[in-house]
Amino acid sequence: MNRLISRLGAGSVALCTVLALGVPGMGQAAPARSAPAPSPARTGTVTLVTGDKVALDRERVVAITPAPGRVGTSFRQYRQDGELYVVPADQFARVASGRLDKRLFAVSALARSGVSDARAADLPRRAVQRQAVATDGVTLTLTFLDRRGIPTADYFVSLFDTVSRQEYSGYHESGTTTVTVPAGHYYLEAGVSGASSTDVVPFDFFVEPDIAATGDLALTFDARDAKPLTFGLDRPGATGILDVMPSRQTGVAAVGSTVHGPQDEIRVRPSRTSAAGQFTFTVAAHLGKPDGNGGFLGSPYQYHLQWSEDGTVPANLHRVFHDADLAKVRNVIAAQVPGAVDRKLYSAYVQPPATITEFTSPGAAFFEDVYELDADNNLNWQIADLPRQAGIAGSTRTEKWNVGPFGPAFATSPVLPVVWCGRFGDQMNFEIPHFSDQNPDHFGFSGTLAEEMRMFRNGQPLISQDSEFGIFTVPPGTATYRLETRSTRDTSPFSTEVRGAWTFRSGHVAGGPANEAALPMAALRFAPALDQQNRAAAGQRFKIPLYLQAQQGAVLGEWGNVTLDASYDDGATWQAAPVVKTAKGFTATVTHPATTGFVSLRASATDSLGNKTELTIIHAYLLK
């Protein structure tokens, strides 16, 4: 996912991310040939020093779960010096003043280093952090007032040169700070947070698209001037989570962080400046029916709403949306773990099998997720849909989630073409979603017990590591490669072991990352008709459709030599099944025994160019 996310650019947040602004990515240099690159956990959870938990899928925040007693906390997500930070609102001042090491909130670095709990992080002594200071320029005097009109120490401020993107900041506990900058134009983001003695942490956000610093200035940021972001809906009880995403284009690249938190606690001040064509203010709302206990358990509907304003933060922060003007999706969610609670984004928690009706702003493009957290709010597994534009107003469709078998996928979308396994120059990159559901548009990752990746070149061992994600430098000459992966998990009774193997030829690819070519690999996909408990009938003949899902842009031949075997004793013995070619791929027919239990599958296919894919899934589905 890190390379997938990096394609989207800067500025986004959390679970259901607006594509227009994207999700920040992480560039990784090619490692030395003798060793694989460090491999961050594919999915994982980082516990902040505040006890809040951030679930990650590579560089994307899947979920933020405030610690007990902190359910009203908002968070700021931003990227600095190549790292992704998630900072709770009540810690802004401690980080800004240097009293708290900001690296404790660098979730990307913590995850990459294998640190799951920042409270126990043993950080190396940090180098002196030198703030950018202009020796000759203009002085900005910045004063921050809370919702009572009193100077507050609970704030942060960042100014970005709109040409160079150089960042300047300042802090003083009195509530007034001075920042000296070269004369020019600046983009400003600032925030004032409220008291943290309760679980409610009010947050007021200030954004100025274009401050003309041609002489000394005195500016006041008064939380009493901030306004709530509200919606007029056909279901007036709906509430939920907001993602407030300003983005300012500079001469170098766009800058902008994201504020993520409860709708009731975030307010924004309309801007006093503007920058038409250079600044966009975007709000995404993920709303559902509250359950009265601080969550959305059993919400039968969700809203995913988006609106944007060019050039300014408008004075009117209220927007009206009617169901008839939105795209409607009927989400049918099957069950993996009996009795478990799955989440559809932030604003619907269900016990599958379940159905959620979703209303989305037409033309908006979101990451869609269904995921499960354990009792400690750690991510068990996640299935996502690549961003694709919502349908037109009044349209209706059905989308199925969580239907197995769960295995590798190479999903793509018209909005976001993806190369999951590619090569540029002599660098190979592998990122295979090994626990995807049956929907060809979905990809899935999971917490695992163990992972392995082995690669051979012309039959000789080349790579061996305990991770399924890899960035490798390989010899330039064309050769035959074989990639083998294996994952085991206990976060679900299904796909407890997934083994994949791909054989293909590859040689040097001219150019850099922009010229990355998809390796000639395809995912073997199974599409049997399972019920909402991922079961099929025992004691009957059963058809299992198969097809090959090629990477977008991969050069492959015609597929043939397709085989499928079934096992009813967890892979101890296998029974071959006849396979026939169909208009959509292939179909195998198995004969289920007249007993309950799990069915395991293994299959292989070879194309006319010699590329081969093999797949084994232990506990592919259940017999009833």
Side-chain angles (χ1 to χ4, degrees), residues 284-301:
H286 317 299
L287 313 176
K289 180 180 180 180
D291 59 16
N293 296 312
F296 300 90
L297 184 63
S299 178
Y301 65 84

Side-chain angles (χ1 to χ4, degrees), residues 255-562:
V255 294
S257 61
T258 303
V259 169
H260 168 84
Q263 179 186 3
D264 294 341
E265 306 307 330
I266 296 175
R267 302 196 312 186
V268 181
R269 187 184 78 172
S271 61
R272 311 290 172 81
T273 64
S274 62
Q278 298 296 312
F279 171 78
T280 304
F281 179 74
T282 300
V283 176
H286 317 299
L287 313 176
K289 180 180 180 180
D291 59 16
N293 296 312
F296 300 90
L297 184 63
S299 178
Y301 65 84
Q302 282 189 312
Y303 286 100
H304 302 305
L305 308 174
Q306 176 189 322
W307 63 268
S308 296
E309 187 86 11
D310 176 65
T312 187
V313 179
N316 180 12
L317 297 177
H318 178 77
R319 294 293 184 273
V320 176
F321 293 88
H322 295 293
D323 291 355
D325 299 325
L326 302 172
K328 180 179 176 181
V329 179
R330 181 174 175 266
N331 292 281
V332 180
I333 303 174
Q336 281 198 55
V337 181
V341 174
D342 294 354
R343 301 192 184 190
K344 178 70 169 64
L345 304 182
Y346 282 100
S347 53
Y349 307 165
V350 297
Q351 285 188 303
T355 299
I356 300 171
T357 302
E358 186 177 81
F359 300 93
T360 303
S361 296
F366 296 97
F367 273 104
E368 297 275 8
D369 297 73
V370 170
Y371 62 100
E372 180 186 296
L373 303 178
D374 67 13
D376 294 322
N377 287 318
N378 297 308
L379 188 66
N380 276 341
W381 51 261
Q382 171 219 2
I383 294 170
D385 189 348
L386 288 172
R388 58 194 68 248
Q389 287 188 335
I392 62 173
S395 63
T396 301
R397 66 178 179 87
T398 296
E399 183 164 1
K400 293 183 178 181
W401 294 86
N402 222 16
V403 179
F406 304 96
F410 291 143
T412 188
S413 82
V415 173
L416 181 62
V418 177
V419 175
W420 295 97
C421 301
R423 178 171 181 166
F424 61 86
D426 297 321
Q427 178 175 305
M428 283 187 180
N429 306 296
F430 297 99
E431 188 130 27
I432 302 171
H434 276 79
F435 294 93
S436 311
D437 70 11
Q438 191 182 117
N439 191 318
D441 296 329
H442 294 172
F443 63 95
F445 295 100
S446 176
T448 56
L449 294 171
E451 300 178 1
E452 299 174 9
M453 175 180 282
R454 308 286 182 262
M455 188 160 67
F456 302 82
R457 183 177 187 272
N458 290 335
Q460 299 300 310
L462 183 67
I463 299 294
S464 179
Q465 67 173 30
D466 294 331
S467 172
E468 292 175 346
F469 166 76
I471 300 176
F472 311 116
T473 299
V474 299
T478 299
T480 297
Y481 289 87
R482 178 176 172 84
L483 178 74
E484 299 177 352
T485 63
R486 177 179 177 270
S487 286
T488 59
R489 67 171 179 170
D490 62 359
T491 55
S492 169
F494 296 99
S495 293
T496 54
E497 181 178 354
V498 177
R499 297 195 300 269
W502 291 265
T503 301
F504 57 89
R505 288 183 63 77
S506 176
H508 179 83
V509 175
N515 296 328
E516 183 177 20
L519 292 169
M521 298 168 61
L524 251 175
R525 308 297 307 274
F526 304 130
L530 304 178
D531 69 10
Q532 289 296 289
Q533 302 282 357
N534 281 295
R535 302 175 303 183
Q540 296 183 12
R541 290 167 61 85
F542 186 64
K543 294 185 180 299
I544 302 177
L546 302 88
Y547 67 96
L548 281 299
Q549 186 179 38
Q551 293 201 89
Q552 185 164 357
V555 178
L556 295 163
E558 182 177 353
W559 289 98
N561 299 319
V562 177

